[in-house]
Amino acid sequence: MQVPTAFGPQAVIAVPVRNEEDRIAACLRAIDAQSGLAPGYLGLVLFLNNCTDRTNEIVTALVPTLSIPVRVLTESYVGAHAGWARRRAMDAAAAWLGDGRDAGFILSTDADSRVPPDWVARNQEAIGAGADAVAGRVELDAAEAALLPPSLPARGRLEDRYDALITEAEARIDPDPHDPWPCHRTAIGATLAVTRAAYHAVGGMPEIPLGEDGAFIARLIEHGLRVRHAPDVCVTISARLAGRAPGGVADTIRARCEEPDALCDARMESFLRAVRRYVWRRRFRRQHGQGTLARDRAWARKLGIGPVEAGRIAALPLGQAVAEAERASPRLAYRPIGPRQLPREIVIARIGVAAIRIYLALSHGLRRRLAPLQQRAFIDADSRNP
């Protein structure tokens, strides 16, 4: 076992574990195979909760063979759920980092996942470039995915294609300088990274039964923290139909097998509706930055938000103001499409994104040509008024 540095690890991986006797060994070996890190840089927290199979024995046998320091916590709790378990694991990771410094970053993955050898290094790179948190992508285990009904991977490919198109439209219409295109919009506990400071700034992982990972990323954004949705960070996840967390990936896969026409994720609206949302966000951010939201309530009337609620929203920091306006407006309620609509919307989105690219390129070129003329005009004005 590797001996940690005098100040402890600078990054700690947190893994909630429940009844994963078939997958925990592969998960741990993948974590232990991380490359490009200094000795003692990495630590691992395993939070074994409510295990009734051989997971405990497997972990006990494997931990001494790993090259990184490991802390194993064990607990049984009748009210356990995914958010509770992930929070306990990440809180323990944050506490370990705090043993030697109020710095470092926490990573989260799942016990049935396999991280690539450069997973920590790529997250480290994004955080070193200024991100407070990093959300990665996931891919289904190829061997397990091959056993699923053919219609399911086909639908997944359509959803991925459409999601990439609306994400590009969003990134170009309402750009985030800390999360430029290319990016994605996945938020999943199998691949998250967050600085210890940012983790504490938002009160830690939400302790909710379902969707704690997405709620955590949303909370970071609402607090104005810099979240990078890194396309080069990707983890392999299980394609099994019987999962450990109700409402998790396994339940989603099974539900789509049982109900092929189930709606897509909430953000997958029709392309025109999605573009209207992104244009609204851009205008809203501009007005917030100019401090005109409180004075000009036209935006609230268009969104169907009453004056009292509009005043409250206008006084909030930007990230919270955007989120609260979307929650309060009946006109901004998400209306996801179904799988049968995907082919048509993909065609529309391809045309729309191409038009957005051309428009922005022309606008950028025009600004570049006008800049010297504007500068000359300022110089001439100054020369006439010495």
Side-chain angles (χ1 to χ4, degrees):
M1 181 181 294
Q2 186 186 82
V3 178
T5 62
F7 297 105
Q10 298 175 53
V12 177
I13 300 172
V15 185
V17 186
R18 181 177 184 179
N19 288 347
E20 292 291 357
E21 63 181 6
D22 295 330
R23 292 175 170 82
I24 188 62
C27 171
L28 296 183
R29 291 190 183 106
I31 288 172
D32 196 45
Q34 295 303 292
S35 60
L37 305 176
Y41 182 88
L42 186 64
L44 171 63
V45 167
L46 299 175
F47 179 59
L48 278 60
N49 67 98
N50 299 278
C51 291
T52 57
D53 63 0
R54 294 185 59 255
T55 298
N56 231 316
E57 291 88 337
I58 294 170
V59 167
T60 300
L62 268 177
V63 163
T65 72
L66 302 181
S67 64
I68 58 176
V70 183
R71 291 184 177 180
V72 180
L73 309 176
T74 305
E75 185 172 346
S76 292
Y77 173 48
V78 68
H81 54 68
W84 169 82
R86 196 174 304 281
R87 175 163 186 136
R88 292 298 297 268
M90 295 184 75
D91 282 356
W96 191 357
L97 289 170
D99 286 349
R101 67 183 70 76
D102 188 20
F105 67 101
I106 307 157
L107 301 106
S108 166
T109 191
D110 291 333
D112 64 334
S113 300
R114 299 191 310 276
V115 299
D118 61 354
W119 182 61
V120 173
R122 286 188 182 275
N123 279 286
Q124 175 195 39
E125 182 181 0
I127 287 175
D132 297 302
V134 186
R137 300 184 299 109
V138 294
E139 292 180 351
L140 294 179
D141 178 272
E144 294 182 357
L147 302 176
L148 296 172
S151 61
L152 198 65
R155 171 177 172 165
R157 288 190 292 272
L158 287 175
E159 288 184 330
D160 289 346
R161 201 172 303 155
Y162 186 57
D163 188 66
L165 287 165
I166 60 174
T167 298
E168 181 177 355
E170 179 184 14
R172 294 188 185 280
I173 293 171
D174 182 31
D176 179 350
H178 306 295
D179 195 21
W181 177 257
C183 56
H184 60 86
R185 287 298 176 262
T186 301
I188 188 168
T191 174
L192 290 176
V194 59
T195 66
R196 184 175 185 269
Y199 184 74
H200 286 306
V202 299
M205 177 64 60
E207 197 169 326
I208 56 178
L210 179 63
E212 80 285 352
D213 35 22
F216 180 62
I217 292 296
R219 184 179 289 181
L220 290 164
I221 293 172
E222 287 182 26
H223 280 73
L225 294 165
R226 297 161 295 191
V227 177
R228 174 60 176 153
H229 293 83
D232 62 336
V233 176
C234 187
V235 166
T236 300
I237 64 172
S238 171
R240 64 188 177 188
L241 299 181
R244 305 295 179 262
V249 173
D251 278 2
T252 300
I253 293 174
R254 188 176 64 255
R256 290 188 173 182
C257 288
E258 296 170 352
E259 190 179 350
D261 288 332
L263 292 177
C264 302
D265 291 341
R267 71 181 302 268
M268 290 195 186
E269 307 173 282
S270 70
F271 184 72
L272 294 180
R273 184 173 177 82
V275 165
R276 282 197 296 269
R277 184 182 300 277
Y278 308 147
V279 170
W280 166 80
R281 283 184 190 161
R282 180 187 179 99
R283 291 172 180 168
F284 187 88
R285 292 181 200 279
R286 185 183 299 118
Q287 283 188 263
H288 188 281
Q290 295 169 345
T292 61
L293 287 179
R295 297 195 304 271
D296 181 3
R297 299 289 176 83
W299 64 271
R301 290 191 294 273
K302 290 179 181 177
L303 297 180
I305 299 175
V308 174
E309 183 71 352
R312 183 187 70 84
I313 291 170
L316 293 172
L318 176 59
Q320 295 177 38
V322 172
E324 288 296 309
E326 291 200 342
R327 292 188 189 110
S329 171
R331 296 173 189 171
L332 290 177
Y334 281 92
R335 298 176 186 171
I337 60 176
R340 295 178 187 275
Q341 297 168 267
L342 282 169
R344 174 177 179 271
E345 291 299 328
I346 287 172
V347 172
I348 295 171
R350 282 175 172 162
I351 296 170
V353 168
I356 291 168
R357 292 173 187 159
I358 293 169
Y359 172 78
L360 292 176
L362 291 174
S363 297
H364 179 68
L366 181 61
R367 286 194 299 270
R368 289 185 60 182
R369 287 195 294 272
L370 288 178
L373 298 177
Q374 292 172 335
Q375 185 177 15
R376 175 58 61 88
F378 289 136
I379 293 173
D380 292 344
D382 286 342
S383 65
R384 288 194 297 269
N385 297 283

